[in-house]
């Protein structure tokens, strides 16, 4: 459990090494990408089902879904921290310890989910009001939130269990579970909303049942693995505390990054209706492009954790270098697609010429920063895989401190939506600077089965 001092950057890895890393990256990243895009695609189908009930129902479910998505995003550290910890154990050859680490992560998720579920159910009216639900939409939002609160334990268990399997170098099972679960979600929602006549409540119950079924599948997989490796299923206070300590800094990082997105939306709303509409379309594309880049980052979490667990520092550096090449290259391709495909997708989002005019500049700025985004996402995953959460938390807070004044200066400066997306690009560049500085050093290269 020692940090490796800074060493000169080596040349490109040899051909066979590059091919080996490429196979590892693709084997993990491609299924991870499928699992990442499955959820938003099926959520769109859910919205279509509810949308046929009426505008008030759709508005209420939209508010409730925003609250639940935000809550789930806050606890994504359950997946990230568990992936890194399990992968280290795998690299060290301690498969039993890896599975045990995963079991501790599941217990942590369960412990956190109970108070969150209770608060969600109790505070549903206040949450709906805080998120701006209209008087006619609020009752539907409250109904959806109260029922969905029952699925929060499953939601958090899904995050932790996904981290366990990623750490075990398995992204195929999460893909299969995601596709099966969200397909079942559509069927349940359609049957309960229309067949049983339950309306919005039926949509909520369908989602809860689908989430519970997915969590049950994951639990079966983990329990079988624990029995096979001789790991105990009982909660271990020491292991749970270790998971909480590892996850704390990642929670700070996540909150800071989400604050950037919320502030950007608030600033865009002050610029005018055309600007906020164009901003939301641009952010939708930003989020979708992030899935492709995040898939490489997920591979990075699993691969880097395994190399460091095996005390293979040259392997970790070579894998990180190759993933950066993949990330930047993917960013270049995605940026070109954003620009070249504009005539195809912009009319799908809006027919309004004024909004399309605002989109023109914002999309160019989004495209411009995609290679940087590829670098940022990959190095973020590399440092997460190394268990370097405290540094990521400090870097995220520092980046937030730079972004806030830049974003708040946009309305009085008169630079409009273009100014806001220049601020977003500044946010990406500052993140990149912090991450590159860390990656070039050796402080993150802490080896051993456990990072202390």
């Amino acid at each position: 459990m020692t940090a490796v001092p800074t060493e000169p950057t080596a040349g490109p890895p040899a051909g066979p090494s590059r091919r080996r890393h490429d196979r590892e990256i693709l084997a993990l990243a491609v299924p991870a990408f499928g699992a990442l895009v499955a959820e938003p695609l099926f959520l769109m189908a859910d919205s279509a089902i509810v949308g046929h009930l009426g505008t008030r129902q759709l508005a209420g479910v939209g508010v409730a879904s925003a609250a639940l998505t935000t809550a789930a995003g806050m606890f994504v550290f359950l997946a990230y921290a568990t992936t890194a910890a399990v992968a280290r154990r795998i690299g060290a050859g301690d498969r039993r310890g890896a599975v045990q680490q995963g079991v501790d992560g599941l217990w942590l998720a369960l412990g956190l989910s109970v108070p969150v579920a209770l608060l969600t159910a109790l505070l549903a009216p206040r949450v709906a009001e805080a998120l701006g639900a209209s008087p006619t939409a609020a009752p539907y939002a409250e109904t959806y939130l109260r029922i969905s609160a029952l699925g929060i334990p499953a939601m958090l268990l899904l995050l932790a269990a996904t981290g366990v399997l990623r750490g075990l170098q398995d992204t195929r099972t999460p893909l299969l579970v995601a596709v099966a679960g969200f397909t079942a979600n559509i069927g349940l929602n359609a049957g309960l909303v229309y067949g049983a006549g339950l309306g919005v409540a039926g949509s909520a119950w369908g989602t809860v049942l689908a989430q519970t079924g997915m969590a049950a599948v994951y639990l079966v997989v983990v329990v079988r693995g624990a029995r096979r490796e001789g790991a105990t299923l009982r909660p271990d206070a020491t292991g749970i505390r270790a998971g909480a300590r590892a996850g704390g800094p990642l929670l700070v990082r996540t909150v800071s990054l989400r604050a950037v997105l919320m502030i950007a939306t608030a600033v865009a709303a002050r610029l005018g209706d055309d600007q906020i509409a164009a901003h939301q379309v641009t952010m939708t594309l930003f989020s979708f492009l992030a899935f492709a880049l995040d898939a490489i980052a997920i591979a990075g979490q699993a691969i880097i954790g395994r190399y460091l667990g095996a005390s293979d520092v040259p392997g970790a550096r070579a894998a990180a270098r190759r993933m950066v090449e993949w990330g930047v290259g993917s960013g270049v391709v995605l940026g070109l697609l954003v620009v070249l495909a504009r005539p195809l997708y912009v009319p799908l989002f809006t027919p309004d010429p004024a909004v399309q005019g605002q989109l023109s500049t914002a999309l160019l700025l989004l495209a411009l920063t995609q290679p940087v985004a590829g670098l940022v996402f990959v190095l973020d995953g590399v440092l997460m895989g190394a268990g370097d959460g405290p540094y990521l938390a400090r870097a995220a807070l520092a980046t937030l401190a730079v972004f806030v004044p830049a974003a708040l200066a946009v309305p009085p400066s008169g630079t409009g939506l273009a100014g806001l997306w220049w601020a977003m690009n500044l946010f990406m560049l500052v993140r990149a600077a912090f991450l590159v500085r860390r990656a070039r050093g050796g402080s993150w290269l802490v080896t051993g089965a456990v990072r202390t």
Side-chain angles (χ1 to χ4, degrees), residues 27 38 60 178 196 285 387 433:
L285 289 171

Side-chain angles (χ1 to χ4, degrees), residues 190-256:
L192 293 173
V193 170
Y194 297 116
L198 296 180
V200 166
S203 178
W205 278 115
T207 300
V208 168
L209 291 172
Q211 288 173 334
T212 302
M214 293 166 68
V217 171
Y218 275 130
L219 288 176
V220 168
V221 172
V222 174
V223 167
R224 285 179 177 174
R227 288 175 175 170
R228 185 169 55 248
E229 302 299 334
T232 178
L233 296 173
R234 294 190 300 273
D236 177 68
T238 302
I240 294 172
R241 283 195 299 268
R245 283 195 301 272
L250 294 180
L251 175 61
V252 173
R253 166 203 166 273
T254 300
V255 171
S256 300

Side-chain angles (χ1 to χ4, degrees), residues 304-374:
I304 296 300
R306 193 188 75 232
Y307 273 116
L308 292 179
S311 298
D312 184 357
V313 171
R317 279 197 179 278
R321 184 183 304 110
R322 189 57 179 151
M323 280 183 280
V324 165
E325 293 171 358
W326 271 89
V328 174
S330 298
V332 171
V333 172
L334 292 173
L336 289 173
L337 286 174
V338 168
V339 174
L340 298 177
R342 281 181 301 168
L344 299 176
Y345 66 80
V346 168
L348 298 177
F349 285 105
T350 175
D352 189 332
V355 177
Q356 290 184 2
Q358 292 289 333
L359 268 173
S360 179
T361 302
L363 290 173
L364 286 175
L365 291 172
L366 173 67
L368 182 66
T369 196
Q370 285 309 294
V372 178

Side-chain angles (χ1 to χ4, degrees), residues 124 138-148 200-201 204:
Y140 297 108
E142 293 169 21
T143 296
Y144 196 93
L145 278 171
R146 285 200 172 103
I147 297 172
S148 295
V200 166

Side-chain angles (χ1 to χ4, degrees), residues 58-402:
L58 181 59
V61 171
V63 168
S65 296
L68 292 167
T69 301
T70 300
M74 292 298 102
F75 290 98
V76 74
F77 71 85
L78 290 167
Y80 294 160
T82 304
T83 297
V86 171
R88 274 186 176 272
R89 297 276 190 176
I90 288 294
D94 182 11
R95 193 170 183 86
R96 179 185 180 280
V99 175
Q100 189 65 62
Q101 193 90 49
V103 171
D104 293 337
L106 293 175
W107 280 111
L108 174 62
L110 186 61
L112 291 172
S113 70
V114 173
V116 174
L118 289 174
L119 286 173
T120 300
L122 291 173
L123 300 179
R126 295 186 180 180
V127 171
E129 180 182 359
L131 291 177
S134 67
T136 54
Y140 297 108
E142 293 169 21
T143 296
Y144 196 93
L145 278 171
R146 285 200 172 103
I147 297 172
S148 295
L150 297 172
I152 287 177
M155 188 188 304
L156 268 58
L157 284 171
L158 285 172
L159 289 172
T162 300
V164 175
L165 294 178
R166 288 174 182 170
L168 294 171
Q169 317 296 295
D170 176 10
T171 55
R172 184 173 177 271
T173 300
L175 170 61
L176 296 175
V177 173
V179 171
F182 292 122
T183 301
N185 187 27
I186 291 177
L188 286 166
N189 279 9
L192 293 173
V193 170
Y194 297 116
L198 296 180
V200 166
S203 178
W205 278 115
T207 300
V208 168
L209 291 172
Q211 288 173 334
T212 302
M214 293 166 68
V217 171
Y218 275 130
L219 288 176
V220 168
V221 172
V222 174
V223 167
R224 285 179 177 174
R227 288 175 175 170
R228 185 169 55 248
E229 302 299 334
T232 178
L233 296 173
R234 294 190 300 273
D236 177 68
T238 302
I240 294 172
R241 283 195 299 268
R245 283 195 301 272
L250 294 180
L251 175 61
V252 173
R253 166 203 166 273
T254 300
V255 171
S256 300
L257 298 182
R258 285 195 169 267
V260 167
L261 302 182
M262 291 175 63
I263 291 168
T265 299
V267 170
R270 294 179 61 187
L271 298 176
D273 290 345
D274 293 340
Q275 287 83 352
I276 183 61
H279 176 75
Q280 286 302 104
V281 172
T282 309
M283 282 302 304
T284 298
L285 289 171
F286 175 90
S287 299
F288 184 78
L289 295 174
F291 287 134
L293 300 174
D294 205 29
I296 305 173
I298 287 170
Q301 294 172 29
I303 292 170
I304 296 300
R306 193 188 75 232
Y307 273 116
L308 292 179
S311 298
D312 184 357
V313 171
R317 279 197 179 278
R321 184 183 304 110
R322 189 57 179 151
M323 280 183 280
V324 165
E325 293 171 358
W326 271 89
V328 174
S330 298
V332 171
V333 172
L334 292 173
L336 289 173
L337 286 174
V338 168
V339 174
L340 298 177
R342 281 181 301 168
L344 299 176
Y345 66 80
V346 168
L348 298 177
F349 285 105
T350 175
D352 189 332
V355 177
Q356 290 184 2
Q358 292 289 333
L359 268 173
S360 179
T361 302
L363 290 173
L364 286 175
L365 291 172
L366 173 67
L368 182 66
T369 196
Q370 285 309 294
V372 178
L375 174 67
V376 165
F377 276 78
V378 168
L379 288 182
D380 208 38
V382 165
L383 295 181
M384 282 186 196
D388 205 16
Y391 180 82
L392 291 174
R394 294 193 299 271
L397 289 171
T399 304
L400 177 63
V402 173

Side-chain angles (χ1 to χ4, degrees), residues 31-45:
F33 175 72
L36 287 169
V37 300
E39 181 171 2
L41 290 176
F42 284 110
L43 287 176
M44 290 171 61

